[in-house]
Amino acid sequence: GRKVLIVYAHQEPKSLNGSLKRVAVEELSKQGCSVMVSDLYAMQFEPRATRNDIVGCLHNSEEFNYGVETREAYKRGGLSDDVIEEQKKVQEADLLIFQFPLYWFSMPAIMKGWMDRVLVQGFAHEFPNCYDSGLLKDKLALFSFTTGGSKEMYAKGGISGDIRYLLWPMQHGIMHFCGVKVLAPHICFAPEYVSEKERKKMLIAWAQRLKTLWKEEPINCSPEWYFK
């Protein structure tokens, strides 16, 4: 069976994000997938990249360089337990689903901290092995998120600009950089401003998409997809 890791960042289980996460767990489990969830707020996941992520002596105790130190610690198995735990989940997963509300045109800080701390050099990328030759090249990722603004606001001519512009740093700069193939995002626009009936429709649409998810082709991972 396929393995899925859902990295979930919302404080309230009853929220639409909580419901989207639950739908994904139910639907994918029904398909025989093994589903792991990293519920970042419930785990009180530490978002800050600090010296505490390295166990034991530093590679260079004179001047702290987080990138170098975590790369060296990864090689010798000297990263902190919480980081190692998340890396194991990533390693096992065929698909990574990131479920979150859009904050300030990006992901919540706790999820960005997960990216910063988990996707270290040597584990997820190792120059020149990045983009199509990134170290996580056998994996798929999908960003599923809610917005505060309407679909019109995030259209090409809208006040917020094309939603695809916002996906460039997340999908391309992080996932594609690490070699991960990216499926089209799943976006629920402005759930706070629609009826309960509309929100239910959003959950049904997500469940429907998940039924045929494994047949989907990844997006064309080029600047054209984002900026054409």
Side-chain angles (χ1 to χ4, degrees), residues 1-4 24-35 94 210-211 214:
R2 293 183 173 102
K3 294 196 170 173
V4 181
V25 172
E26 285 166 9
E27 181 52 46
L28 293 165
S29 300
K30 254 188 243 167
Q31 295 174 20
C33 299
S34 149
V35 185
D94 300 298
L210 290 164
K211 285 184 200 307
W214 301 104

Side-chain angles (χ1 to χ4, degrees), residues 4 10 21 23 29-30 35 58 64 66 68 71 82 92 118-119 137 142 144 150 155 162 165 177 181 183 187 219 224:
V4 181
H10 200 287
K21 183 259 296 173
V23 165
S29 300
K30 254 188 243 167
V35 185
L58 290 176
F64 184 71
Y66 186 82
V68 170
R71 181 191 69 208
D82 60 340
E92 283 179 26
V118 175
L119 303 175
K137 61 179 177 289
L142 192 165
S144 170
S150 66
D162 192 330
Y165 304 158
F177 186 81
K181 291 178 184 66
L183 296 174
I187 309 165
I219 64 166
E224 286 75 34

Side-chain angles (χ1 to χ4, degrees), residues 76-192:
R76 64 165 201 272
L79 287 168
S80 61
D81 288 347
D82 60 340
V83 173
I84 289 171
E85 187 59 36
E86 294 307 298
Q87 287 178 340
K88 274 188 197 148
K89 293 178 197 172
V90 171
Q91 230 149 11
E92 283 179 26
D94 300 298
L95 167 67
L96 309 168
I97 295 177
F98 297 96
Q99 182 65 60
F100 59 97
L102 198 67
Y103 280 6
W104 295 115
F105 280 26
S106 187
M107 61 188 88
I110 199 165
M111 184 175 278
K112 177 59 166 57
W114 185 95
M115 305 280 185
D116 292 347
R117 296 181 62 225
V118 175
L119 303 175
V120 303
Q121 195 174 345
F123 168 69
H125 57 91
E126 183 72 88
F127 194 80
N129 294 320
C130 49
Y131 291 115
D132 290 342
S133 57
L135 303 181
L136 303 179
K137 61 179 177 289
D138 299 326
K139 303 189 185 299
L140 288 169
L142 192 165
F143 285 82
S144 170
F145 59 96
T146 58
T147 69
S150 66
K151 194 170 186 174
E152 294 69 37
M153 288 172 77
Y154 288 107
K156 204 159 197 169
I159 186 77
S160 300
D162 192 330
I163 192 82
R164 290 184 180 201
Y165 304 158
L166 314 190
L167 290 161
W168 172 255
M170 296 187 254
Q171 292 187 163
H172 187 78
I174 303 175
M175 286 295 114
H176 185 203
F177 186 81
C178 297
V180 181
K181 291 178 184 66
V182 181
L183 296 174
H186 196 84
I187 309 165
C188 292
F189 288 98
E192 282 179 57

